[in-house]
């Protein structure tokens, strides 16, 4: 500082000289001095020795009351009159005094009185680097769009330094310089224009803000500097397209997922901010069909199912999801959606070809049906297994993929199972598996493999003899297990001979119905049984047949009465057995011998004594027909003994025959002869005696009742007659009972008179139930109508006999009411009532 001042002082001396010279040229100013002094000197600092420089004596200064006159309102310098020096009175700030003007000086006058002398003093103020450059603000902000091109200029307010010259701002420095460089241009007014020039483009997405420091420094010694911080905000522009988070999204979704099922969510990033960074999603570049299946949330990018997904239609979809921002930038996100198969399709069964019926003799392996199975599902869901019921004579074979054939695996027999329902079951291997079934109806067609079969191989049938021709004996029936023509059975009689006659003359077989008829009436006594074969034959081709043997047994009927072989009955001749009066008890008189051509029970004969002159004398052996005495013969016993023995068989009804055995109880033949002369009349008398007695009783009763009726009638008639006469005096009309008035007429007749009286004199022709003695004829008690007819016929014959003395009184045929026919036959065989 001292050095500096000295130097200034030296220089100031030189200057002061110059100033004085100048002052002298001026008329008004006695002299002048010039000094230079650095600014900011402390008060009292020496400026210059004015006394010496102006050549004035210090005393003069005092006497002249030297003082400083200044026109300015501030006085920086004071005058020390004692020393004749100028000193700093007030701190001088050059910048305040002159600003940027240079050189900077101020002037004042020093005035002396007695005489007045005016001296001018000029003080030049020398700059000192006492100010730092300064920017208007410490910090400043700039907003720069990120796409500003390189070379774009940004003006920065320059710094200011009040110092001048070297102490003024000499340079600007910008840090850092990676984006901007600094350009400083001198302005015509001496100022400086500072510009930042963009060198490397900004990217908001890399660095959103930058902070630069601009330093302005002066050339003083030491340097002084000022800084400003420049905050640069990079403004976003939509310079970034959205970017999908993943280039390809892969998602899986089950088919048949309900609408709204979230498939996946796509996302996209946009490096831009704000509106520029807002991304929306849409599905682009897909077919309409796919657009209907999926929807994407515009904002969130969530992809949802919007339709019915069917794996079988398409198992994968590719969606292009467009992510767009507002500025038209977009990215395409690929979404590959795999549809997961669900077992939602039942397997299908299709009959490709099919035999409705199959012959029962088809060989093993005959194809019945070809079926096609299919399942549109995939993997396990589409793998099918085909099966049929195992209990059937069929098996299923796989031929081509998806094709199966059903073939016979066993022997078929229509007669056991005529029809099959084959159930084809197809199931896939999904979880749970789906199954479908199809029923195939296969009919087994008939082959003539079964002959007709009789229930038995031999039949044994009985038929009673005396059958009517055409009598149906029984029905043969053979069954044939086949069907249709193969089961149509016809019957044929096999020809053969039976007892020399063709069997067809005995029986016939209805070929359709199998009914066996007897061709003629059989007689057990001629043919007892016979056999024949009947063939049953079906109508198949070739026909099958089987044979049954039929044995017909003719059953005996009791159609033959016993026949008495002994004793022989010949007309009226009389044969008598002799019994000596000396015969003992149990004497065998004779033996009745009879036979019966029937057989069995029908020929089992029994003998009974029907009538005898003396029942106490004889008995007949029930089984053997032996007539024996049961007591000793006495002299009182009649010579002539007459026994009637009845021989009966054991049939149902039984038939019988009677035989009359004459027995003579005598010791000599002439005794016998005399007794047997009027045998016939005696016999008839005995037989009819009972009958005649009954008849006589009936006639007497009849006559009595008739008489009673007549008497009562006459009595009543007379009583009435008397009353009429008494009351009216009318002529008396004779009264005849109806019986007499209409004897032969056709009028009504009280039934009590309605008799038919028949009289015959031949008692042997009598209809009454008395076996005629000695007759072989026995009344047939046949309940059948023919029997009755025959009997009626015979009765009529008797009545019609012209030589029979008949007295008939016949009732008119048109009589109404019950006609009672009473027939009395009177036989006056030498007896009288
Ligand atoms: C087969 O099925 C049909 C109809 O479903 C039925 O009428 C018939 O009786 C069945 N046959 C057998 C042998 O099951
Ligand atoms: C019936 O036929 C069988 C063989 O078919 C034979 O042995 C038998 O003698 C025949 N019988 C008659 C009565 O013809």
């Amino acid at each position: 500082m001292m050095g500096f001042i000295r130097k200034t002082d030296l220089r100031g001396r030189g200057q002061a000289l110059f100033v004085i010279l100048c002052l002298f040229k001026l008329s008004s100013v006695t002299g002048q001095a010039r000094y230079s002094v650095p600014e900011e000197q402390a008060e009292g600092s020496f400026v210059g020795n004015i006394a010496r420089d102006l050549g004035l004596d210090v005393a003069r200064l005092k006497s002249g009351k030297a003082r400083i006159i200044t026109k300015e309102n501030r006085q920086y310098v004071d005058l020390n009159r004692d020393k004749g020096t100028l000193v700093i009175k007030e701190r001088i700030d050059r910048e305040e005094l002159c600003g940027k003007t240079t050189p900077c000086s101020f002037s004042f006058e020093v005035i002396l009185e007695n005489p007045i002398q005016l001296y001018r003093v000029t003080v030049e103020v020398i700059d000192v680097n006492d100010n730092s450059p300064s920017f208007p603000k410490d910090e400043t902000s700039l907003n720069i769009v990120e796409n500003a091109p390189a070379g774009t200029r940004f003006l920065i307010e320059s710094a200011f330094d009040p110092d001048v010259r070297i102490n003024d701002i000499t340079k600007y420095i910008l840090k850092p310089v990676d984006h901007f460089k600094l350009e400083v241009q001198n302005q015509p007014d001496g100022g400086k224009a500072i510009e930042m020039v963009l060198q490397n483009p900004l990217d908001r997405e890399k660095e959103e803000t930058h902070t630069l420091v601009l330093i302005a420094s002066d050339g003083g010694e030491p340097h002084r500097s000022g800084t400003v911080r420049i905050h640069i905000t990079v403004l976003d522009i939509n310079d970034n397209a959205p970017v999908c988070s993943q280039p390809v999204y892969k998602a899986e979704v089950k088919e048949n997922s309900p609408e709204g099922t979230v498939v996946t969510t796509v996302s996209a990033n946009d490096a831009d901010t704000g509106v520029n960074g807002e991304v929306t999603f849409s599905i682009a570049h897909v077919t309409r069909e796919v657009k209907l299946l999926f929807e994407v949330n515009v904002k969130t990018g969530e992809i949802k199912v919007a339709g019915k997904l069917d794996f079988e239609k398409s198992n994968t979809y590719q969606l292009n999801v467009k992510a767009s921002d507002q500025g038209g930038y977009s990215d395409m996100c690929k979404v590959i959606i795999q549809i997961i198969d669900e077992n939602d399709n039942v397997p299908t069964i299709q009959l490709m070809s099919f035999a409705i019926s199959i012959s029962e003799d088809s060989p093993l392996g005959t194809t019945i049906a070809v079926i096609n199975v299919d399942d549109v599902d995939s993997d396990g869901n589409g793998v099918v297994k085909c099966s049929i019921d195992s209990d059937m004579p069929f098996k299923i074979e796989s031929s081509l993929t998806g094709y199966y054939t059903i073939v016979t695996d066993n022997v078929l027999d229509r007669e056991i199972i005529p029809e099959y329902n084959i159930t084809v079951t197809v199931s896939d291997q999904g979880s749970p598996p789906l199954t479908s079934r199809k029923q195939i109806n296969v009919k087994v067609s008939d082959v003539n493999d079964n002959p007709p079969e009789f229930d038995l191989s031999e039949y044994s049938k009985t038929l009673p003899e005396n059958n009517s021709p055409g009598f149906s004996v029984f029905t043969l029936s053979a069954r044939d297990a086949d069907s249709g023509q193969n089961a149509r059975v016809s019957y044929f009689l096999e020809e053969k001979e039976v007892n020399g006659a063709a069997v067809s003359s005995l029986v016939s077989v209805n070929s359709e119905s199998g009914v066996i008829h007897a061709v003629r009436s059989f007689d057990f006594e001629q043919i007892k049984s016979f056999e024949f074969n009947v063939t049953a034959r079906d109508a198949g081709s070739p026909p099958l047949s089987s044979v049954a043997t039929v044995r017909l047994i003719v059953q005996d009927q009791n159609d033959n009465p016993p026949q008495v072989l002994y004793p022989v009955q010949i007309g009226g001749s009389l044969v008598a057995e002799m019994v000596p009066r000396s015969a003992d008890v149990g004497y065998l008189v004779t033996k009745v011998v009879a036979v019966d051509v029937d057989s069995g029970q029908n020929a089992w004969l029994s003998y009974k004594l029907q009538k005898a002159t003396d029942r106490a004398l004889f008995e007949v052996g029930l089984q053997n027909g032996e007539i024996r005495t049961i007591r000793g013969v006495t002299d009182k016993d009649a010579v002539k003994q007459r026994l009637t023995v009845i021989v009966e068989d054991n049939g149902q009804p039984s038939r019988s025959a009677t035989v009359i055995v004459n027995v003579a109880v005598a010791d000599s033949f002439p005794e016998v002869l005399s007794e047997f002369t009027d045998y016939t009349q005696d016999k008839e008398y005995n037989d009819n005696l009972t009958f005649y007695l009954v008849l006589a009783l009936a006639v007497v009763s009849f006559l009595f009742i008739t008489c009673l009726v007549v008497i009562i009638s006459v009595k009543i008639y007379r009583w009435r007659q008397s009353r009429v006469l008494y009351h009216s005096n009318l002529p008396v009309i004779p009264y005849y009972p109806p019986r007499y008035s209409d004897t032969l007429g056709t009028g009504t007749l009280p039934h009590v008179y309605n008799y038919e009286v028949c009289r015959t004199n031949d008692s042997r022709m009598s209809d009454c139930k008395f076996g005629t003695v000695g007759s072989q004829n026995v009344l047939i008690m046949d309940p059948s109508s023919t029997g009755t007819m025959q009997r009626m016929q015979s009765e009529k014959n008797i009545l019609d006999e012209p030589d029979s003395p008949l007295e008939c009184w016949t009732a008119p045929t048109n009589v109404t009411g019950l006609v009672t026919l009473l027939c009395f036959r009177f036989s006056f065989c030498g007896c009288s009532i």
Side-chain angles (χ1 to χ4, degrees), residues 133 135 159 168-173 182 184 192 194 214-219 223-226:
F135 286 94
D168 201 356
I169 294 166
T170 53
K171 61 178 180 191
Y172 284 94
I173 299 161
L182 202 63
V184 180
K192 289 198 160 87
I194 303 165
L214 181 63
I215 305 165
S217 64
D218 59 23
H223 296 306
R224 283 175 169 267
S225 61

Side-chain angles (χ1 to χ4, degrees), residues 496 531-533 547 549:
K496 64 167 274 194
E531 276 184 0
F532 55 92
N533 276 356
V547 173
T549 303

Side-chain angles (χ1 to χ4, degrees), residues 92-107:
I92 303 165
D93 185 1
R94 193 205 68 82
E95 283 76 26
E96 190 188 331
L97 193 66
C98 300
K100 278 302 207 183
T101 311
T102 183
C104 173
S105 61
F106 61 90
S107 302

Side-chain angles (χ1 to χ4, degrees), residues 353-399:
S353 81
F354 157 52
I356 286 171
S357 73
I358 178 165
S359 173
E360 59 180 322
D361 61 353
S362 300
L364 296 191
T366 305
T367 300
I368 290 166
V370 177
I371 55 174
N372 172 245
V373 299
D374 195 17
D375 191 326
V376 291
D377 291 323
S378 71
D379 300 332
N381 296 338
V383 175
V384 292
K385 226 175 66 190
C386 199
S387 64
I388 57 171
D389 310 338
S390 57
D391 56 347
M392 293 211 172
F394 305 105
K395 64 179 175 185
I396 192 157
E397 289 175 345
S398 171
S399 41

Side-chain angles (χ1 to χ4, degrees), residues 417 419-421 439 441:
I417 302 174
E419 144 185 69
Y420 291 93
N421 283 337
Q439 207 178 56
N441 182 267

Side-chain angles (χ1 to χ4, degrees), residues 639-775:
V639 173
K640 215 165 58 175
Q641 294 284 341
R642 188 186 167 90
L643 307 175
T644 305
V645 174
I646 182 160
V647 182
E648 283 182 329
D649 61 22
N650 202 28
Q652 276 299 336
S654 72
R655 284 171 176 264
S656 62
T658 53
V659 61
I660 294 167
V661 180
N662 291 314
V663 177
V665 181
D667 289 331
S668 64
F669 190 67
E671 190 184 355
V672 177
L673 265 183
S674 65
E675 284 296 323
F676 276 81
T677 42
D678 203 7
Y679 184 79
T680 310
Q681 281 186 357
D682 214 23
K683 171 198 74 179
E684 288 179 345
Y685 169 76
N686 279 337
D687 280 349
N688 293 326
L689 185 62
T690 317
F691 174 66
Y692 295 146
L693 284 172
V694 172
L695 191 64
L697 189 66
V699 171
V700 169
S701 303
F702 171 66
L703 288 175
F704 171 72
I705 293 165
T706 309
C707 287
L708 205 64
V709 169
V710 169
I711 289 164
I712 292 168
S713 302
V714 170
K715 286 275 181 194
I716 293 170
Y717 173 72
R718 283 195 183 150
W719 176 72
R720 284 187 63 181
Q721 195 81 4
S722 64
R723 283 191 65 177
V724 168
L725 284 170
Y726 178 78
H727 284 292
S728 64
N729 291 327
L730 281 170
V732 176
I733 300 163
Y735 173 74
Y736 297 100
R739 181 187 168 199
Y740 302 108
S741 65
D742 202 10
T743 314
L744 298 169
T746 56
T748 56
L749 194 68
H751 73 269
V752 288
Y753 302 112
N754 199 355
Y755 299 131
E756 180 182 303
V757 178
C758 306
R759 282 194 294 168
T760 176
N761 58 358
D762 186 0
S763 69
R764 259 177 273 190
M765 306 305 277
S766 168
D767 188 31
C768 300
K769 292 178 184 177
F770 289 97
T772 315
V773 177
S775 167

